[in-house]
């Protein structure tokens, strides 16, 4: 599979940061030789306190909503490719051509760019970056924070005027100091304010009653195109170009040839903002950003049967066959391995949501996968460990405001005991244990698995009797065939959770339908 992320661009930015920062300092009338000290966070007293530098951020608006505006997979692929090209252009400094404004990119990925430039040039640089983003079919919002060379080391001054009350309302510390990470916190406050002041949706431009695009149904239909808007047409052509350029690029049809069901996977970093805000120096911030981007941007390298949608920053969206294909493991095992890889390379935890379905539209499937990811991130905060939430939809779609509400409705009341029919979401170590036991459960006949999944609806005591009988039957057969006995641990059958008694057996049976026979054999 072709490399999708922009991780290759990060080392070049890190390596040239001091060189580019020196150019910015020189253009602003400061000592260019101070650039290495600023990056390392040294020699505060000798640095100027004149605020004629600018920290600039440009962020694409509503990225996921924009990418999935069209339900056509090839158009989604084209939108993702165009966003990646913008990231690469920012990192390579193409926006500087002919502007006369030196810029030091700190980070560019996932539709977000963070740079340092001369204050007087900041508006023109921001305008140029937003224009380039529009050329790549996305809208963007920018924010600028005036800073001095000294503040790049010791942190910004305190908020002043009306900004203080607004920062308090948003839960942002308005005090000064704190190193470079605190500067970015203040900048992101300004970005949030700018986005809040912008129109709620950048594409609702067609007059009432006017013809809209046949793909996204949002933008005006182009007079020169048959049924499509300019943006969807551009993305469609880019998606076709990507498929032709990469002969190993996959389509939904390719994946469905190897599996009856697809898995839509969403991965998001845990408390990444806090980690970045805690960085004391510009060098630490750039290094952590680089590790994050490399880990998420290259996470799918070597995954052959896959459609990557978004990879970069601390986000990952992709589609894979639900079950194992050749040497590629099933979607649940693959997700667990990706999380371990991200933990090792980026030194951060993450939440993952996996939705297995055979007929749900891509935009709805990713929306539900995002909801599952949010549930997993909640478990991350409580356990301080990566977590996974998953759901296997055999037909239809969930009819609830959230996955939590849907699961709270599936409860068996037995006397004073309230039994919840799931233990999702799972912290990663428990999830890996669940997958190991799910491979064992494949030894039971499918008809028994269907019956066992519903046995808890008759109550906890009845369920334990039925399970004991079925496992004894399996043990007798396993002993006769020279196999291993099947013994789910006590936590699988029932465990206290949030004041409820919860069973993991339905989750275990759902997972057993997904895990591959190759994995069971290993």
């Amino acid at each position: 599979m072709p490399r999708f992320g922009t991780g290759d661009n990060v080392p070049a930015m890190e390596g040239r940061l001091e060189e580019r920062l020196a150019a910015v300092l020189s253009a602003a009338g400061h000592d260019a030789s101070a650039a290495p000290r600023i990056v390392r966070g040294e020699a505060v007293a000798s640095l100027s306190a004149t605020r004629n530098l600018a920290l600039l951020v440009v962020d694409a608006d509503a990225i996921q909503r924009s990418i999935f505006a069209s339900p056509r997979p090839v158009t989604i692929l084209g939108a993702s490719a165009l966003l990646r090209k913008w990231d690469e252009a920012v990192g390579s400094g193409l926006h500087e051509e002919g502007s006369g404004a030196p810029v030091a990119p700190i980070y560019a990925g996932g539709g977000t760019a963070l740079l340092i430039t001369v204050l007087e040039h900041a508006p023109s640089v921001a305008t140029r970056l937003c224009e380039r983003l529009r050329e790549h079919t996305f809208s963007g919002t920018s924010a600028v924070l005036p800073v001095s060379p000294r503040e790049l080391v010791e942190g910004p001054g305190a908020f002043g005027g009306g900004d203080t009350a607004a920062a308090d309302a948003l839960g942002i510390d308005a005090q000064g100091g704190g190193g470079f990470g605190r500067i970015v916190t203040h900048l992101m406050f300004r970005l949030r304010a700018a986005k809040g002041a912008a129109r709620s949706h950048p594409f609702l431009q067609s007059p009432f009653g006017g013809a809209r695009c046949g793909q996204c149904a949002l933008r005006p239909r182009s007079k020169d195109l048959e049924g499509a808007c300019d943006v969807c047409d551009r993305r469609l052509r880019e998606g076709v170009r990507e498929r032709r350029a990469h002969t190993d690029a996959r389509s939904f049809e390719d994946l469905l040839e190897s599996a009856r069901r697809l898995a839509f996977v969403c991965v998001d970093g845990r408390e990444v903002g806090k980690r970045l805000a805690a960085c004391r120096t510009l060098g630490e911030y750039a290094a952590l950003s680089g590790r994050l981007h490399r880990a998420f941007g290259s996470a799918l390298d070597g995954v052959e049967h896959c459609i990557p949608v978004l990879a970069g920053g601390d986000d990952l969206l992709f589609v894979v066959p639900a079950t194992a294909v050749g040497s590629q493991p099933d979607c649940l095992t693959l997700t667990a391995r990706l999380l371990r890889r991200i933990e090792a390379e980026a030194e951060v935890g993450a939440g993952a949501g996996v939705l297995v379905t055979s007929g749900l539209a891509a935009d709805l499937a990713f929306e539900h996968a995002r909801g599952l990811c949010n549930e997993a991130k909640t478990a991350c905060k409580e356990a301080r460990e990566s977590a996974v939430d998953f759901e296997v939809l055999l037909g239809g779609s969930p009819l609830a405001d959230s996955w939590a509400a849907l699961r709270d409705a599936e409860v068996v009341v037995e006397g004073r005991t309230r039994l919840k029919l799931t233990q999702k979401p799972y912290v990663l170590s428990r999830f890996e244990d669940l997958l190991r036991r799910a491979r064992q459960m494949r030894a039971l006949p499918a008809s028994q698995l269907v019956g066992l999944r519903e046995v808890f609806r008759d109550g906890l005591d009845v369920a334990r009797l039925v399970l004991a009988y079925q496992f004894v039957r399996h043990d007798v057969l396993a002993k006769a065939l020279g196999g291993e006995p099947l013994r789910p641990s006590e936590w699988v059958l029932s465990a206290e959770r949030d004041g409820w008694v919860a069973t993991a057996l339905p989750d275990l049976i759902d997972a057993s339908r997904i895990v591959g026979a190759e994995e069971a054999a290993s």
Side-chain angles (χ1 to χ4, degrees), residues 147-192:
V147 294
S148 67
R150 181 176 295 181
E151 286 177 316
L152 290 176
V153 174
E154 64 181 13
F159 274 111
D163 280 355
T164 303
D168 289 341
L170 291 173
I172 297 174
D173 187 353
Q175 300 304 310
F180 185 79
R182 185 64 60 81
I183 297 181
V184 180
T185 300
H186 282 211
L187 178 65
M188 293 308 173
F189 157 76
R190 294 197 171 195
L191 179 66
R192 290 171 65 180

Side-chain angles (χ1 to χ4, degrees), residues 14 23 61 74 86 126 141 169 181 219 295 319 346 354 386 419 434 453 482:
E14 290 179 0
D61 297 324
V74 66
W86 181 80
T141 303
R219 291 172 283 263
V319 188
V354 183
S386 294
L419 177 65
L434 185 82
R453 195 186 190 289

Side-chain angles (χ1 to χ4, degrees), residues 363-441:
D363 54 343
L364 290 177
F366 274 119
E367 180 181 340
H368 289 309
R370 169 63 69 181
L372 292 170
C373 181
N374 291 335
E375 294 292 326
K377 290 184 69 175
T378 300
C380 287
K381 292 180 181 179
E382 296 173 354
R384 312 297 297 176
E385 183 182 354
S386 294
V388 182
D389 200 350
F390 72 97
E391 199 71 41
V392 179
L393 294 185
L394 300 180
S397 59
L399 299 175
D401 293 334
S402 67
W403 287 106
L406 185 67
R407 290 162 181 172
D408 286 344
E410 288 213 350
V411 173
V412 174
V413 179
E414 183 182 16
R416 294 185 177 181
T417 302
R418 296 185 301 172
L419 177 65
K420 188 177 291 188
L421 301 181
T422 183
Q423 288 187 15
K424 301 169 185 169
Y426 292 92
V427 295
L428 185 52
S429 56
R430 181 62 62 87
F431 182 69
E432 291 169 331
D433 191 17
L434 185 82
L435 295 184
R436 285 192 293 270
R437 299 178 188 282
R439 292 172 194 126
Q440 288 183 309
M441 292 290 286

Side-chain angles (χ1 to χ4, degrees), residues 255-428:
L255 298 187
L256 287 170
E257 286 180 2
S258 56
R260 291 181 302 162
R261 288 173 288 180
L262 300 180
F264 294 78
V265 185
C266 172
V267 181
D268 194 11
R270 175 176 63 86
E271 296 185 343
V272 171
K274 289 184 179 179
R275 286 284 305 277
L276 290 169
C279 292
R280 300 290 302 182
T281 70
L282 173 55
E284 289 177 8
Y285 191 97
L288 177 56
S289 298
R291 288 200 305 273
L292 285 167
H293 200 51
R294 277 190 294 268
F296 282 85
S298 63
L300 298 176
D301 287 358
V303 182
E304 181 180 358
H305 301 275
C306 175
I307 299 176
V309 176
L310 183 63
D314 64 337
D315 287 295
L316 191 59
L317 294 173
F318 61 95
V319 188
V320 289
T323 52
V325 179
S327 61
Q328 181 172 313
D330 61 89
C331 63
L332 300 180
T333 303
L334 176 64
T335 300
R337 291 179 181 177
L338 287 179
L339 289 178
R340 288 299 184 198
R341 178 177 175 179
I342 289 171
E343 284 181 343
E345 295 184 5
E347 301 177 2
V348 296
V354 183
L355 183 76
V356 176
T357 180
S358 59
L360 203 60
D363 54 343
L364 290 177
F366 274 119
E367 180 181 340
H368 289 309
R370 169 63 69 181
L372 292 170
C373 181
N374 291 335
E375 294 292 326
K377 290 184 69 175
T378 300
C380 287
K381 292 180 181 179
E382 296 173 354
R384 312 297 297 176
E385 183 182 354
S386 294
V388 182
D389 200 350
F390 72 97
E391 199 71 41
V392 179
L393 294 185
L394 300 180
S397 59
L399 299 175
D401 293 334
S402 67
W403 287 106
L406 185 67
R407 290 162 181 172
D408 286 344
E410 288 213 350
V411 173
V412 174
V413 179
E414 183 182 16
R416 294 185 177 181
T417 302
R418 296 185 301 172
L419 177 65
K420 188 177 291 188
L421 301 181
T422 183
Q423 288 187 15
K424 301 169 185 169
Y426 292 92
V427 295
L428 185 52

Side-chain angles (χ1 to χ4, degrees), residues 60-278:
D61 297 324
I63 293 179
Q64 292 188 35
R65 182 171 58 179
S66 178
I67 288 178
F68 295 116
S70 169
R72 294 191 61 180
V74 66
T75 307
I76 294 172
L77 177 64
S80 302
L82 287 168
L83 188 65
R84 182 181 75 250
K85 288 184 176 180
W86 181 80
D87 293 335
E88 293 171 349
V90 173
S92 62
L94 291 181
H95 55 282
E96 298 179 56
E97 294 179 357
S99 67
V103 172
I106 301 170
Y107 168 79
T112 302
L114 181 65
L115 317 96
I116 300 174
T117 188
V118 180
L119 181 59
E120 64 176 314
H121 296 313
S124 62
V125 172
T127 300
R128 181 171 280 98
L129 285 171
C130 289
E131 287 175 350
R132 287 218 173 229
L133 198 53
R134 281 193 292 272
E135 291 172 6
H136 289 73
T137 71
F138 291 86
S139 66
T141 303
S142 65
V144 175
L145 181 69
V147 294
S148 67
R150 181 176 295 181
E151 286 177 316
L152 290 176
V153 174
E154 64 181 13
F159 274 111
D163 280 355
T164 303
D168 289 341
L170 291 173
I172 297 174
D173 187 353
Q175 300 304 310
F180 185 79
R182 185 64 60 81
I183 297 181
V184 180
T185 300
H186 282 211
L187 178 65
M188 293 308 173
F189 157 76
R190 294 197 171 195
L191 179 66
R192 290 171 65 180
K195 284 182 176 287
R199 56 176 177 248
S200 59
H201 200 295
F203 307 130
L204 301 181
Q205 301 168 346
S206 179
F208 182 78
R212 295 187 184 273
C213 171
Q215 288 196 49
C216 67
L218 291 173
R219 291 172 283 263
R221 184 179 300 177
S222 174
K223 296 180 181 179
D224 300 327
L225 300 173
E226 188 173 342
C229 64
D230 294 331
V231 169
C232 286
D233 178 70
R234 170 79 189 284
R235 293 176 174 180
L236 175 63
R237 288 186 283 109
E238 187 67 28
V240 172
R241 188 178 298 112
E242 281 284 302
R243 285 186 178 177
R244 290 175 178 172
H246 303 290
T247 56
D248 56 347
R250 304 289 177 175
S251 66
F252 279 38
E253 292 77 13
D254 294 334
L255 298 187
L256 287 170
E257 286 180 2
S258 56
R260 291 181 302 162
R261 288 173 288 180
L262 300 180
F264 294 78
V265 185
C266 172
V267 181
D268 194 11
R270 175 176 63 86
E271 296 185 343
V272 171
K274 289 184 179 179
R275 286 284 305 277
L276 290 169

